[in-house]
Amino acid sequence: MASGRSRGERGAVRIDPRLLIGVLLVASSTAGVWFLVSGLDDAREVYVARDTLTPGTRIDEGDLATESVRLGASAAHYLAPGDLGDDGLVVVRTVRAGELVPAAAIDDSDSTGLASVVVPSRGPLPADVDRGSMVDVWTASERERGVFDPPAVLVPGAEVAGVIASDGMVASEGVSVELLVPREKVAALLQALSAGDAIDLVPARTAGGQ
C-alpha cells in the first residue's frame, strides 16, 4: 500500500507557479502591443489644398489632393472625401497650399462679404505679393497733371486672389492684381480706378510684425 502511494506521488505532474506567471506576462505583453498598434492605426483620408485657396472661391475635387493622416478625434475637423457634394463648396477662409482643409474654412455659399476687383499695377510688385497675401490699397487723387494729393489707405488688408501677368510682359511688370475687397469698399475703389487716381499696393503688416 505504501509502495502504491509512492508511485502515485511520483507520477503526479507539478506545475511551477513561476512558469504560469511567465506565460501570463507574455500573453499580457502581446495583447498590450496588439491593442497599441490597433489604436495607432487610425489613419484617415483628408483633403489637402493643391494651391492657396482664397475666400469666395468655389472648389471641387480638382482643387484638392488627399493625404492619409493620423489625427485621432481631430480628424472630424477637416474636410474628407465625400464632404464636397456635387456642386462643391465655397472657401470662406484662406487655406495655404499644402495645408489640410479645415471644415470651418468652407461653406455651402459665399458668406464672406467680399467682392473681386482687378487693379492694374503701376510698376513691379513687391516680391512677397502673391496669391493669399494681404495688401493695403493706397490711393492719391490727381489735382492737376502730374500733381497728386497725399496718398491715403483706401482699402486696408485686401487679400490677393491672383496675379495676372499681361501677355508679353515679365512677371514683375505690367501685371494686374485681383483683390478681394469688402463690398462696402468696392464703389470707392472703382471710382478711384475710373478717375485715374494713383493706386499702389503695399504689403500689409501682419500681427506681430514690425
Side-chain angles (χ1 to χ4, degrees):
M1 297 295 291
S3 175
R5 287 197 299 271
S6 177
R7 285 197 300 271
E9 291 174 357
R10 287 197 300 270
V13 177
R14 294 185 178 181
I15 299 177
D16 191 336
R18 291 174 296 179
L19 177 60
L20 288 176
I21 293 173
V23 171
L24 290 175
L25 287 175
V26 171
S28 299
S29 177
T30 302
V33 171
W34 185 85
F35 281 115
L36 177 62
V37 172
S38 299
L40 292 176
D41 189 20
D42 61 349
R44 177 181 174 183
E45 293 288 319
V46 295
Y47 278 126
V48 177
R50 293 185 185 275
D51 300 299
T52 298
L53 306 175
T54 53
T57 304
R58 182 169 288 277
I59 59 172
D60 55 28
E61 289 186 353
D63 301 301
L64 307 171
T66 57
E67 185 171 328
S68 181
V69 295
R70 291 187 175 92
L71 297 173
S74 298
H77 299 300
Y78 294 92
L79 200 66
D83 293 342
L84 280 173
D86 296 334
D87 298 326
L89 294 169
V90 178
V91 180
V92 297
R93 193 175 73 199
T94 300
V95 181
R96 301 289 177 180
E99 288 186 359
L100 304 183
V101 182
I106 53 90
D107 202 347
D108 294 329
S109 59
D110 187 358
S111 58
T112 62
L114 300 174
S116 176
V117 179
V118 175
V119 176
S121 172
R122 295 198 304 157
L125 291 173
D128 54 351
V129 172
D130 202 353
R131 186 176 187 180
S133 58
M134 308 296 289
V135 296
D136 294 329
V137 182
W138 289 73
T139 63
S141 301
E142 188 174 21
R143 286 188 296 176
E144 54 185 88
R145 188 174 183 81
V147 179
F148 293 85
D149 289 330
V153 176
L154 179 62
V155 183
E159 184 166 356
V160 177
V163 177
I164 308 166
S166 300
D167 293 339
M169 298 291 184
V170 296
S172 60
E173 298 179 356
V175 300
S176 296
V177 180
E178 182 181 358
L179 298 177
L180 297 175
V181 179
R183 295 188 187 279
E184 63 270 18
K185 294 286 187 178
V186 171
L189 181 54
L190 293 178
Q191 182 177 353
L193 287 168
S194 63
D197 293 350
I199 299 178
D200 289 289
L201 307 179
V202 179
R205 293 177 60 182
T206 57
Q210 301 297 321

